[in-house]
C-alpha cells in the first residue's frame, strides 16, 4: 500500500483558513466588520450629541456670567410655551415647510412622470443631468442668484415692467422664501418620485386602459396611489430640509421671516444661551419624529 | 348581398393585419375570423407573433396595415379603453393597492355602474371563479392560482365581446394548470363569451379549443379544429409543433405518421395484411409514465418515434433496447403534407 496520505486541495495563498471561508463559516463576522465603522460613527457622533442636546435643554444659564448651570429645570420649555413670539416662529417654520413640500410634490410629479414613462432614453439622461446639476453648485450661490431675480431692481421686476405690468415686490418676504426653498429642494422630490413611478409595471397601466379607464383616470386610480410612497419619501427631504434651514431666511427673508434655526443660531452665537437653543431644537426633532412615523405608515420607506 | 349575409356578425375579423418593430416583422399579414362564442386558440412557439396579435386585438399596439373588426365594427384606430375586449394578462397585472373585489369591480366602476349592481356582479364573478369570501384580501395575500382566477374574474365580469387570454396558465404548476384548463373551458361555456387564447402549449390548445390557429414567423400556418391540426397537419411545421412529428418521404411523397398509430412488432410478431412494414433498430427508450416512447432508427435512414402503452411493468419495455424491430402502419393513418412546402 502507498503511504502517501490524501491531501485536500488548498486554495492559492496558502493560509490555514482563507478569509472567504472564514466569513462563510461565521456570517456574523462579516456583518460585524461591515457595520462597526458606520455604527461607531452613528452612535458616538450622532446619537450621543442628540442625547446631549436633550440633557442640555433641561439646564439653564447664569444671567450674570452666562455660564451654563447644570441644574435640572423646565424653565426653557416654559418660556417657549408662554412667549407667543416663539409660537409664531414655530408656526411660520412648519407652515412654510409644508407649503414648500406641497409645491415640490405638485411640480415634481408631472416632471417625474414624464421622465419615467414618456421620455426617450436620451431625453431621460438629459433631464437627470438637469435635475442633478444644480446640486453641484454651492447652496449660497443658488440663493444669491434668486436674490438677483427677486429683489426690487431684479430680473423679475425688470421683466414685468418692460411688458408694462406693475412690479411684484416679493423680494425679502416669506413669498420669496417659499419660491427659493421650493427651487432648492425640488431635486430631492423629483428623484424618489421618479424611482417610484418607474417601478409601476407597464402591464398595470395597460390593464387599466383595458378595463376602460382613460389616461387621466389611470393616473388618478393606479399611478398616483402606487407612486405616493415615493412622493412621501421625497417629502421627508423637502420638509426636514426646510424645517432646519436658517440661511435662506437671512438672505431672502424679511423682518417677519425668522425661522426656528435663526433663533437657535442667535441663542448660541449672540445671547450665548445654549440650553435655550437646545430646548428650541427639540421642537423640529419632535416634529420630524412624528412626520417619519406617518411617512412609514404611508409606505415611504419601502419606496426609498 | 343577401340580408342573411349582413346579419352574420363574427366576433372578430382580422384582414391583412401586419405589425413590425423596425426590421423585425412580428405579424406578417394575418387574416382571421372568429365566430361568436368560440374558444379560439393562437398556438405557436415564442416569437411566432401570437402575443403581438393579441395585443393588436386589445389595442395596445396599432397595426402598420390591415383592419380589425370587433362585432362587425371597425376598431383599427380605437384606443383600448373604448374597445369591447378585456384581457387576462400573463403576469395577471392585478392592482396591488386594491382589494380583490375592487380589482374585479374596477372595469364596472370606470364604466359608471352604480355600487349596488356592481357589488352583486363582483360577488357573482367571485363565485364563478370559486373565490367567495376572499373579496377583501389584497392580491399579494393570494396564491398564484387564486391570482389567476381574480385576473379572469376581473376580465369576465365586464362581459366583453371578446375575451383575450395571454398565456394565462403559464405561471402555474402542471397539476394546477390541468385543473384550470378544465375550469376555464367550463367558465367559457357558462358565460358564452368568445375566448381568444394565446399559448405555446400544444396539449393545452388541443384540450380547450374549438379551433386552433397555428402560428409561425408572424403567419398563420393552419386554422382548424384540434382534430384537424393534429390528424391533418397542413405543413411540416404544424406536424412538428403539434405532437411528435414522424415525417417520411417514400416514392417522392412526404407524409406524417403519428407515433401512437405505429405498431412495433417484435421478431416473432407479424403485421396485419395491408400494413406498411419497415425494419429498424430501437435506439432509445423513454419512459413517460402512461406510455413508453421508442426511438427507432429505420434501416432506410430516418428515425421514427413509436409509442406504446405501458401495459406491463418497465421490464417489458427494456427488452427492446438495441433490438431489431419492425414498424407497421396502415395508409389511412398517414397524412400527406402539401407538396412544395
Amino acid at each position: 500500500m502507498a503511504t502517501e496520505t490524501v491531501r485536500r486541495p488548498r486554495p492559492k495563498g496558502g493560509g490555514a483558513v482563507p478569509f472567504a471561508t472564514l466569513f462563510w463559516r461565521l456570517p456574523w463576522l462579516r456583518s460585524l466588520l461591515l457595520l462597526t465603522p458606520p455604527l461607531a460613527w452613528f452612535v458616538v457622533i450622532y446619537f450621543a450629541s442628540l442625547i446631549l442636546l436633550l440633557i442640555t435643554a433641561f439646564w439653564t444659564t447664569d444671567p450674570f456670567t452666562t455660564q451654563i448651570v447644570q441644574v435640572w429645570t423646565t424653565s426653557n420649555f416654559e418660556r417657549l410655551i408662554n412667549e407667543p413670539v416663539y409660537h409664531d416662529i414655530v408656526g411660520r417654520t412648519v407652515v412654510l415647510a409644508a407649503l414648500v413640500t406641497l409645491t415640490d410634490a405638485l411640480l415634481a410629479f408631472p416632471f417625474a412622470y414624464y421622465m419615467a414613462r414618456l421620455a426617450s432614453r436620451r431625453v431621460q439622461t438629459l433631464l437627470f443631468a438637469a435635475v442633478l446639476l444644480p446640486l453641484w453648485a454651492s447652496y449660497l450661490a443658488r440663493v444669491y442668484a434668486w436674490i438677483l431675480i427677486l429683489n426690487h431692481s431684479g430680473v423679475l421686476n425688470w421683466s414685468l415692467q418692460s411688458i408694462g405690468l406693475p412690479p411684484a415686490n416679493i423680494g425679502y418676504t416669506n413669498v420669496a422664501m417659499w419660491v427659493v426653498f421650493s427651487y432648492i429642494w425640488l431635486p430631492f422630490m423629483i428623484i424618489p418620485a421618479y424611482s417610484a413611478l418607474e417601478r409601476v409595471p407597464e402591464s398595470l397601466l395597460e390593464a387599466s386602459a383595458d378595463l376602460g379607464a382613460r389616461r387621466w383616470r389611470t393616473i388618478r386610480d393606479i399611478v398616483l396611489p402606487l407612486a405616493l410612497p415615493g412622493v412621501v419619501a421625497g417629502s421627508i427631504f423637502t420638509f426636514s430640509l426646510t424645517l432646519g434651514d436658517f440661511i435662506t431666511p437671512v438672505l431672502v427673508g424679511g423682518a417677519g421671516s425668522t425661522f426656528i434655526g435663526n433663533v437657535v443660531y442667535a441663542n448660541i452665537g449672540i445671547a450665548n444661551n445654549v440650553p435655550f437653543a437646545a430646548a428650541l431644537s427639540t421642537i423640529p426633532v419632535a416634529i420630524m419624529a412624528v412626520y417619519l412615523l406617518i411617512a412609514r405608515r404611508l409606505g415611504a420607506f419601502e419606496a426609498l | 348581398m343577401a340580408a342573411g349575409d349582413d346579419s352574420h356578425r363574427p366576433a372578430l375579423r382580422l384582414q391583412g393585419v401586419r405589425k413590425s418593430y423596425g426590421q423585425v416583422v412580428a405579424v406578417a399579414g394575418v387574416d382571421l375570423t372568429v365566430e361568436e362564442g368560440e374558444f379560439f386558440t393562437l398556438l405557436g412557439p415564442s416569437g411566432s407573433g401570437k402575443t403581438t396579435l393579441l395585443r393588436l386585438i386589445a389595442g395596445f399596439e396599432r397595426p402598420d396595415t390591415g383592419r380589425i373588426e370587433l362585432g362587425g365594427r371597425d376598431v383599427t384606430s380605437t384606443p383600448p379603453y373604448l374597445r369591447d375586449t378585456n384581457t387576462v394578462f400573463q403576469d395577471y397585472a392585478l392592482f396591488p393597492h386594491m382589494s380583490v373585489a375592487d380589482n374585479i369591480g374596477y372595469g364596472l366602476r370606470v364604466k359608471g355602474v352604480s355600487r349596488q349592481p356592481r357589488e352583486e356582479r363582483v360577488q357573482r364573478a367571485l363565485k364563478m371563479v370559486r373565490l367567495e369570501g376572499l373579496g377583501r384580501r389584497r392580491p399579494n395575500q393570494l396564491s398564484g392560482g387564486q391570482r389567476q382566477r381574480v385576473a379572469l374574474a376581473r376580465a369576465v365580469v365586464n362581459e366583453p365581446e371578446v375575451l383575450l387570454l395571454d398565456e394565462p396558465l403559464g405561471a402555474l404548476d402542471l397539476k394546477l394548470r390541468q385543473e384550470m384548463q378544465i375550469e376555464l373551458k367550463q367558465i367559457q361555456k357558462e358565460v358564452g363569451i368568445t375566448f381568444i387564447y394565446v399559448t405555446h402549449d400544444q396539449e393545452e390548445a388541443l384540450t380547450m379549443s374549438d379551433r386552433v390557429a397555428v402560428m409561425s414567423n408572424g403567419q398563420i400556418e393552419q386554422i382548424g379544429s384540434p382534430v384537424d391540426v393534429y390528424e391533418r397537419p397542413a405543413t411540416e411545421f404544424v406536424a412538428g409543433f403539434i405532437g411528435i412529428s414522424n415525417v417520411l418521404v417514400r416514392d417522392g411523397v412526404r407524409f406524417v405518421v403519428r407515433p401512437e398509430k405505429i405498431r412495433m412488432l417484435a421478431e416473432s410478431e407479424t403485421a396485419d395484411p395491408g400494413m406498411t412494414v419497415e425494419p429498424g433498430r430501437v435506439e432509445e427508450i423513454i419512459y413517460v409514465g402512461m406510455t413508453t416512447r421508442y426511438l427507432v432508427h429505420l434501416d432506410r435512414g430516418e428515425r421514427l418515434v413509436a409509442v406504446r402503452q405501458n401495459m406491463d411493468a418497465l421490464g417489458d419495455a427494456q427488452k427492446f433496447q438495441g433490438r431489431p424491430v419492425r414498424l407497421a402502419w396502415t395508409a389511412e393513418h398517414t397524412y400527406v403534407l402539401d407538396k412544395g412546402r
Side-chain angles (χ1 to χ4, degrees):
Chain A
M1 285 267 296
T3 52
E4 207 177 335
T5 52
V6 180
R7 283 215 188 107
R8 273 222 245 122
R10 257 192 199 165
K12 283 176 202 164
V17 184
F19 275 121
T21 314
L22 198 67
F23 285 142
W24 180 78
R25 283 190 201 153
L26 310 166
W28 56 266
L29 194 67
R30 192 173 39 186
S31 312
L32 191 79
L33 242 72
L34 277 171
L35 284 178
T36 303
L39 220 59
W41 174 274
F42 192 75
V43 170
V44 174
I45 311 286
Y46 186 83
F47 221 61
S49 55
L50 200 65
I51 289 167
L52 214 62
L53 179 90
L54 269 172
I55 295 171
T56 315
F58 289 95
W59 290 342
T60 187
T61 51
D62 186 298
F64 299 108
T65 62
T66 68
Q67 290 297 305
I68 292 173
V69 183
Q70 297 182 359
V71 179
W72 293 108
T73 169
T74 54
S75 65
N76 293 324
F77 291 97
E78 281 159 26
R79 202 174 137 201
L80 282 177
I81 291 162
N82 294 330
E83 291 184 27
V85 63
Y86 296 116
H87 303 180
D88 291 350
I89 289 165
V90 171
R92 176 184 305 127
T93 310
V94 172
V95 167
L96 208 70
L99 266 176
V100 166
T101 299
L102 193 70
T103 310
D104 278 346
L106 292 176
L107 290 175
F109 188 82
F111 191 88
Y113 184 84
Y114 180 80
M115 253 169 86
R117 296 246 144 235
L118 304 174
S120 69
R121 208 101 210 112
R122 251 177 73 93
V123 174
Q124 209 176 43
T125 313
L126 281 171
L127 290 177
F128 249 118
V131 169
L132 295 176
L133 216 56
L135 298 178
W136 287 53
S138 158
Y139 171 100
L140 281 176
R142 284 183 291 148
V143 174
Y144 272 113
W146 273 101
I147 294 175
L148 294 178
I149 296 170
L150 296 177
N151 72 21
H152 299 279
S153 53
V155 178
L156 179 67
N157 279 352
W158 179 80
S159 308
L160 285 172
Q161 275 165 334
S162 65
I163 55 167
L165 289 170
N169 290 322
I170 59 168
Y172 308 111
T173 63
N174 290 341
V175 179
M177 287 215 295
W178 167 64
V179 171
V180 173
F181 275 133
S182 299
Y183 159 76
I184 288 181
W185 308 139
L186 186 59
F188 296 96
M189 182 67 94
I190 289 177
I191 299 302
Y194 164 83
S195 66
L197 281 166
E198 210 198 15
R199 269 182 281 174
V200 178
E202 186 66 29
S203 67
L204 292 188
L205 307 192
E206 282 179 355
S208 179
D210 188 67
L211 292 163
R214 286 158 195 267
R215 191 176 279 274
W216 284 110
R217 185 83 199 241
T218 299
I219 288 176
R220 199 191 79 192
D221 290 351
I222 312 298
V223 179
L224 218 53
L226 291 175
L228 186 71
V231 174
V232 174
S235 81
I236 295 172
F237 298 122
T238 58
F239 189 81
S240 68
L241 287 169
T242 311
L243 206 65
D245 201 277
F246 63 99
I247 299 170
T248 297
V250 172
L251 296 178
V252 299
S257 298
T258 310
F259 261 36
I260 296 174
N262 299 113
V263 183
V264 171
Y265 181 72
N267 271 289
I268 292 172
I270 301 153
N272 206 6
N273 191 345
V274 175
F276 183 68
L280 199 57
S281 299
T282 58
I283 293 173
V285 171
I287 292 170
M288 274 324 290
V290 174
Y291 197 96
L292 289 175
L293 280 175
I294 296 168
R296 198 184 64 170
R297 287 199 67 126
L298 292 171
F301 297 113
E302 282 86 30
L304 276 175
Chain B
M1 277 274 129
D5 280 345
D6 290 340
S7 68
H8 173 71
R9 208 180 56 114
L12 171 77
R13 198 207 307 267
L14 303 181
Q15 284 173 324
V17 172
R18 287 181 62 91
K19 175 76 186 175
S20 50
Y21 302 95
Q23 296 289 314
V24 185
V25 179
V27 176
V30 164
D31 295 291
L32 186 66
T33 305
V34 179
E35 298 300 332
E36 204 75 55
E38 223 181 339
F39 196 121
F40 191 89
T41 298
L42 297 169
L43 172 67
S46 52
S48 60
K50 56 193 192 305
T51 294
T52 305
L53 196 57
L54 199 79
R55 292 174 59 80
L56 285 163
I57 299 167
F60 303 136
E61 312 278 350
R62 286 193 61 174
D64 301 334
T65 55
R67 186 181 157 91
I68 301 169
E69 273 176 39
L70 277 171
R73 213 163 55 88
D74 182 4
V75 296
T76 314
S77 338
T78 307
Y81 51 82
L82 295 177
R83 288 195 194 191
D84 198 7
T85 58
N86 285 113
T87 308
V88 178
F89 291 84
Q90 190 169 11
D91 66 350
Y92 312 144
L94 300 177
F95 306 128
H97 59 298
M98 291 185 193
S99 70
V100 166
D102 286 346
N103 262 284
I104 297 172
Y106 186 70
L108 300 173
R109 207 176 89 202
V110 168
K111 283 183 200 83
V113 176
S114 58
R115 231 186 91 198
Q116 185 79 31
R118 192 171 77 219
E119 275 173 11
E120 278 168 20
R121 282 170 74 176
V122 168
Q123 286 309 317
R124 249 184 295 151
L126 277 169
K127 197 174 165 188
M128 178 190 75
V129 295
R130 299 194 285 117
L131 288 176
E132 292 136 299
L134 297 184
R136 298 176 74 165
R137 294 238 187 126
R138 288 289 170 100
N140 63 7
Q141 295 170 308
L142 301 179
S143 71
Q146 289 172 325
R147 278 180 219 180
Q148 206 286 320
R149 288 155 197 267
V150 176
L152 179 67
R154 185 177 70 174
V156 170
V157 79
N158 303 292
E159 292 165 12
E161 172 81 41
V162 173
L163 191 82
L164 307 168
L165 302 100
D166 185 9
E167 309 223 10
L169 309 181
L172 307 179
D173 61 67
L174 181 65
K175 188 98 180 118
L176 197 56
R177 197 156 70 221
Q178 286 169 341
E179 282 172 24
M180 281 304 294
Q181 284 171 11
I182 296 162
E183 213 176 302
L184 258 176
K185 182 74 189 167
Q186 278 172 348
I187 287 169
Q188 194 260 340
K189 273 187 194 154
E190 208 178 294
V191 294
I193 296 172
T194 311
F195 274 36
I196 296 180
Y197 191 97
V198 161
T199 184
H200 62 260
D201 184 329
Q202 41 114 350
E203 196 186 306
E204 202 165 281
L206 297 181
T207 314
M208 302 166 77
S209 321
D210 296 321
R211 282 195 304 153
V212 180
V214 184
M215 288 190 74
S216 161
N217 295 322
Q219 280 174 320
I220 292 178
E221 295 267 322
Q222 185 178 7
I223 301 180
S225 70
V227 176
D228 278 341
V229 294
Y230 186 77
E231 302 282 347
R232 291 177 288 279
T235 65
E236 194 170 333
F237 175 83
V238 176
F241 192 70
I242 300 176
I244 297 162
S245 83
N246 285 329
V247 180
L248 287 178
V249 183
R250 293 288 177 268
D251 309 322
V253 180
R254 295 168 65 78
F255 63 95
V256 177
V257 206
R258 291 296 186 192
E260 71 279 7
K261 309 273 163 67
I262 298 174
R263 264 184 64 191
M264 202 168 69
L265 306 168
E267 279 153 302
S268 56
E269 290 175 283
T270 52
D272 295 338
M275 280 184 129
T276 310
V277 181
E278 294 219 12
R281 187 178 289 275
V282 175
E283 263 190 357
E284 219 173 297
I285 297 172
I286 303 150
Y287 178 74
V288 282
M290 215 188 294
T291 57
T292 301
R293 286 183 202 148
Y294 300 85
L295 181 67
V296 178
H297 193 164
L298 294 179
D299 293 353
R300 290 182 63 175
E302 296 97 333
R303 285 182 174 78
L304 282 190
V305 177
V307 170
R308 279 170 59 128
Q309 287 229 327
N310 288 328
M311 306 289 268
D312 303 303
L314 186 60
D316 177 55
Q318 292 302 338
K319 76 180 183 205
F320 286 102
Q321 181 69 58
R323 297 275 298 277
V325 288
R326 284 161 302 142
L327 300 184
W329 59 85
T330 61
E332 67 195 73
H333 283 149
T334 63
Y335 188 74
V336 178
L337 294 170
D338 283 354
K339 282 171 195 163
R341 280 259 194 175

